[in-house]
Amino acid sequence: MITGTGIVKTFKQRGKVLGARDVQALRGVDFAIPRGGAASFIGESGCGKTTLGRIIAGLETYDEGEILIDGVAMSSLRHKQRQPHFRKIQLIHQDPYSALNPTRTIHQTLYAPLSLRAKQTGRPGSWIEERAAEVLTLVGLDPGTVLSRYPHQLSGGMRQRVVIARALTVDPEMLVADEAVSMIDVSLRLGILALLKDLRERLGVSVLFITHDVATARYIGDDGELYVIYRGQVVERGAVDTVIADPVHPYTQALLSAIPVLHGLEQPGEEPVVPLESLDESQADEGCLFARRCPFRGERCTSERPLLQLTEGVPQEHACFYPERRSVIARPMSEV
Amino acid sequence: MSVLLESSSTSAAMRRNFWRGVWRVMKRKPSRLVGAVLMAGFVFMGAFGPMFYPDQLPRDPGQITRPPSWEHWLGTDDQGRDVIALVVTGSRYVLLAALVTAVITVVVGTGIGLFSGFKRGRWDTVLMRLTDMKLTIPGLPLLLVLSTVWKFSSAVQMGLVLGLLSWGGVARAVRSQTLSLRERGFIEAARGLGLSTSHIVGKELLPSMAPYIAMNMLIAITGGVYSQVGLFFLGVLPYESNNWGQMLNTAVFRSGALTVPSALGFLLGPLLAILLLTLAIVLVVDAMDEIFNPRLREE
Amino acid sequence: MAKQAPGVRIDGLTVVYKTPAGELPAVRDVTLTLEPGTITGIVGESGSGKSTMALSLLNAVQPPGRIAAGSVEIDGLGDVVGLRGEELRKARGKHIGYVFQAAQNSLNPLKTVGKQLLDLGRSHGVDDLRGLVREAKELLGRMGLDGARVLDSHQHELSGGMRQRVGIMLALVLNAHLVVLDEPTTALDMITQANILKIVREVHAERGLTTLVITHDIGVVAEVADRLAVMYGGRLVEQGPTRHVLGAPRHPYTRGLIRAIPRLVGDIAEAQALPGRPPTLATVPKEGCVFRERCPLRMDVCDTVDPEAHADGARAVACHAVTVKEHA
């Protein structure tokens, strides 16, 4: 179980004298991902979802809040002591081309973490080779052909599988997949998504999926939770299918309305929501963060910040004073 | 035990593959082969050349400052010694000093650059200020001052001083390379997997920079040759041992090679040696990128 | 606006790239007609030849590539493949506007947008530069931007979506009526993407353009295009009206591609990955069907004979299995 409460991260810009301002990447985010569970962070670029993913993977520090990994509070530990805890959480990079060292073969790439693992657990050296073949088989690659190759000899999809295999060498509890399929050919994306789903089911690894593509978030697991993040704040949170089918926050609705409709196969939603202005980070931080772009804003919205909460009649948590269901997503022709 | 054997045999196979790749890269352009052959020639000359000659080269009083002839291909010097013999016996000092210079430049430069770029923060600031300060020290004047104290009779001493004067540029360049590489996914992944710093630096960062470091090393060799030859040519160091700079100095200032045609061979000998060495290095540097990049190596 | 939306007829186009293994075709024998005033979308994965094909519309394939066969007839210009030098340079920009892949990064970081606009005008011998600026402001205003402010800005002062709009403005400002957009929304957010696509559609209609959109994302084509062409391994495997192709895809690749898109509703298990992987220039089969390695309908004939495109009304499919079924 990995939980976070009130995570705040501010990127301080240098040269404050010249009026540079701090960027609030995260404004107090809570999350909880149970063992073997799934969660997705969705939002536009710059909303803080990648920063949050990196914080969870231990690659970035945070200013306030607390992260608990299996009940151990990270802030109580020193840097060196945190390391073994964060190792349970492995980040899968977006770019499979830079995630593997071009000068090392796949064998070398897997050997290093495995020999470390063997040392820690007191396993014999023969275990390393066996395990290397095992993790490659797990991700659907043939060890015989892949082990001796260099990364450039593999396709994008195969590289991403190797990256996942490398993460599995340390027996992680959770994989954080940051836009893990966006740089892979369309016809192969689903294969990687299916692999992540499969690892969840077979190994009980939980998966945190970070994406701007809501539909892929759904593929990871319909029992998972969806977090919609806007400008460093979670604005809606709930079961994946609930949030997609019946979103109540106008931002979520705008995001879902923007998904292209496959005309000929699908019928567009009846009440698409189009935000008023484009995202402007420099707007004032008073009131609701989405108020300036919200077509449904009321008076309260510009003076008071709504917090993520449950209200009556709405199954999911949301941060909106005027939650209302709207039919925004496209539906298959056959259903209409 | 069997595992140990297995992993050592795979690494032996990898090494074999590496050298096969190097051969492929060298074959790709004839110029690289020429460079490599020239370089091997110089190594042989520096290592074994002097053994073919007696400690005191024979002097021929009847053949003082002669132009090239069948007997002496590049003529003779002002004491009647064969110029080729002088070039060969002088090469050991020059090449050894240049090699020491290059090794020190690269080891110190890479070490400081890597450490600085990888640690960042306070260490980085301190080390880079130090490097900047070092870079502002003008090399030649300092050498001139030092030469009044030291005689540089041994090549290692010479290389040591030159090396300690020239690592600044490499340090800066390696640091910036490190800074950009450390943001790459594979370094981040290595940190996330909990791999040791020595693994990350030695096995992930260094191999990625290998072509760059090798190139710097080769170029530092030419730098080392130029500076010491320059020092001896200027005559600021006393005549202690035979070397190319010393020859140039004698040819120009004592035999008047710039005006006397018969001393031309005397001047040409060391010049030709320096030229060929530079050429060899330039031709080989061209292959470095392809040798250390597995993709380019195989294509 | 005296000019009319031009029609484009691409006939038997083959583009080859010189490699150590000989000349390999990136685009092979593609025949495609862009009707005047329509938006056509070309969909393909990496290595499908879609970008090379778009470049040949400008006759801008760079060595080691060259157009080996075929013609590209554009109304009012003639066969572009035959154009050379100055003629070609003038045609680009004036007749054909091109919005490059990653247009967000193709602006000069050292010059303001306005300066780049004037450079463009001068290099095309525009006399009325004031008029050009007026036109640019109008276009930018049309796309929801403050024209004067944008022209005074440097690249870094604009967001990704704004840069993309500037790219579209630069492609249209010389009054080109044939516009090629290469991956217009890659690296943009969902909401920005939706905005850009809306703008493409509206500007297309208002200015009377013929538009070609190149993308890997079927959703983008579904949103904007009237006609859809699917490319695979350098071949055009299926084309037809977007709604028809999406509603009832015929080529096994098109079917697989559509099935591989995760959906927002319905059974997620319905989405299936296509087995295998797309071919590269070096691995495209020399003979027979390019898709057969991944094809569920593979027959013996597919190994030896490259299927020809069979037209059926507004649609065309290049697949032996589909043809056999129809004639049975």
Side-chain angles (χ1 to χ4, degrees), chain C residues 138-215:
Chain C
E138 205 178 290
L139 267 165
L140 289 170
R142 173 66 200 78
M143 293 189 269
L145 297 179
D146 175 354
R149 215 194 97 196
V150 169
L151 289 183
D152 264 341
S153 306
H154 284 89
Q155 178 205 288
H156 67 269
E157 294 166 287
L158 305 172
S159 71
M162 287 161 95
R163 286 180 210 167
Q164 193 66 44
R165 280 177 251 201
V166 168
I168 295 174
M169 178 276 285
L170 289 174
L172 290 175
V173 74
L174 289 173
N175 211 6
H177 280 253
L178 172 61
V179 179
V180 180
L181 298 135
D182 195 355
E183 298 281 7
T185 59
T186 312
L188 295 182
D189 281 309
M190 278 293 174
I191 293 175
T192 318
Q193 164 173 309
N195 281 338
I196 295 284
L197 293 181
K198 187 161 157 265
I199 284 167
V200 167
R201 237 177 4 233
E202 288 170 358
V203 170
H204 168 86
E206 283 164 25
R207 295 177 74 94
L209 307 173
T210 301
T211 306
L212 181 65
V213 178
I214 315 282
T215 179

Side-chain angles (χ1 to χ4, degrees), chain C residues 63-145:
Chain C
R66 68 182 178 89
I67 298 177
S71 62
V72 179
E73 291 267 355
I74 298 176
D75 288 345
L77 257 181
D79 187 0
V80 185
V81 177
L83 292 184
R84 289 283 173 276
E86 197 59 7
E87 277 177 317
L88 190 59
R89 193 180 69 78
K90 287 222 172 98
R92 298 174 189 164
K94 264 203 172 144
H95 292 267
I96 313 167
Y98 201 101
V99 184
F100 284 94
Q101 194 166 353
Q104 299 100 301
N105 305 321
S106 65
L107 293 170
N108 184 338
L110 301 177
K111 286 184 174 178
T112 62
V113 173
K115 280 229 174 71
Q116 292 178 60
L117 173 71
L118 293 180
D119 287 349
L120 179 76
R122 280 190 208 107
S123 70
H124 280 276
V126 175
D127 297 323
D128 182 14
L129 288 177
R130 267 171 215 287
L132 188 74
V133 172
R134 208 180 314 119
E135 173 81 8
K137 279 188 191 161
E138 205 178 290
L139 267 165
L140 289 170
R142 173 66 200 78
M143 293 189 269
L145 297 179

Side-chain angles (χ1 to χ4, degrees), chain A residues 43-46 49 153-155 158 182 185-191 193 197 212-216 218-219 221-222 241 244-245 251 254-266 274-275 278 293 329-333 335, chain C residues 44-46 159 162 165 187-195 197-198 201 216-220 222-224 242-244 246-248 253 257-269 271-278 294:
Chain A
E44 293 173 279
S45 61
K49 61 185 194 295
Q153 293 163 321
L154 306 176
S155 70
M158 288 166 93
S182 66
D185 269 311
V186 184
S187 69
L188 304 179
R189 284 184 187 174
L190 214 65
L193 293 174
K197 191 177 175 177
H212 66 275
D213 182 358
V214 193
T216 55
R218 184 166 172 264
Y219 198 79
D222 42 11
D241 278 334
I244 289 179
Y251 176 67
L255 211 54
L256 290 166
S257 304
I259 295 169
V261 179
L262 296 182
H263 295 281
L265 269 181
E266 293 172 336
V274 179
S278 58
R293 299 173 76 190
I329 57 165
R331 308 245 167 213
M333 291 286 221
E335 253 183 47
Chain C
E45 295 177 270
S46 63
S159 71
M162 287 161 95
R165 280 177 251 201
L188 295 182
D189 281 309
M190 278 293 174
I191 293 175
T192 318
Q193 164 173 309
N195 281 338
L197 293 181
K198 187 161 157 265
R201 237 177 4 233
H216 68 278
D217 187 348
I218 268 195
V220 168
E223 275 288 315
V224 296
T242 306
R243 280 165 195 251
H244 296 186
L246 288 181
Y253 175 63
L257 202 58
I258 291 170
R259 201 181 308 133
I261 304 171
R263 308 303 256 288
L264 284 176
V265 286
D267 187 4
I268 19 171
Q272 297 272 320
L274 254 165
R277 57 182 139 132
R294 304 171 77 182

Side-chain angles (χ1 to χ4, degrees), chain C residues 282-298:
Chain C
T283 59
V284 169
K286 300 259 173 319
E287 55 177 20
C289 175
V290 285
F291 184 64
R292 63 171 187 269
E293 297 293 336
R294 304 171 77 182
C295 185
L297 306 177
R298 184 173 176 173

Side-chain angles (χ1 to χ4, degrees), chain A residues 273-284:
Chain A
V273 174
V274 179
L276 298 177
E277 292 169 45
S278 58
L279 177 63
D280 182 2
E281 293 273 349
S282 62
Q283 4 182 300

Side-chain angles (χ1 to χ4, degrees), chain A residues 296-325:
Chain A
F296 313 110
R297 66 170 170 236
E299 276 191 14
R300 222 175 138 195
C301 302
T302 46
S303 55
E304 202 181 328
R305 169 96 37 98
L307 296 174
L308 193 67
Q309 59 188 333
L310 275 171
T311 53
E312 229 187 291
V314 183
Q316 71 263 41
E317 288 180 81
H318 60 86
C320 182
F321 291 128
Y322 310 103
E324 196 176 317
R325 289 202 186 91

Side-chain angles (χ1 to χ4, degrees), chain A residues 54 87 90 93 98 101-102 153, chain B residues 186 188 192-193 204 294 298:
Chain A
R54 291 174 56 82
R87 190 159 58 229
Q90 286 296 319
H93 279 86
S98 84
N101 191 334
Q153 293 163 321
Chain B
F186 62 86
E188 204 156 67
L193 291 165
E204 309 273 353
E298 272 154 44

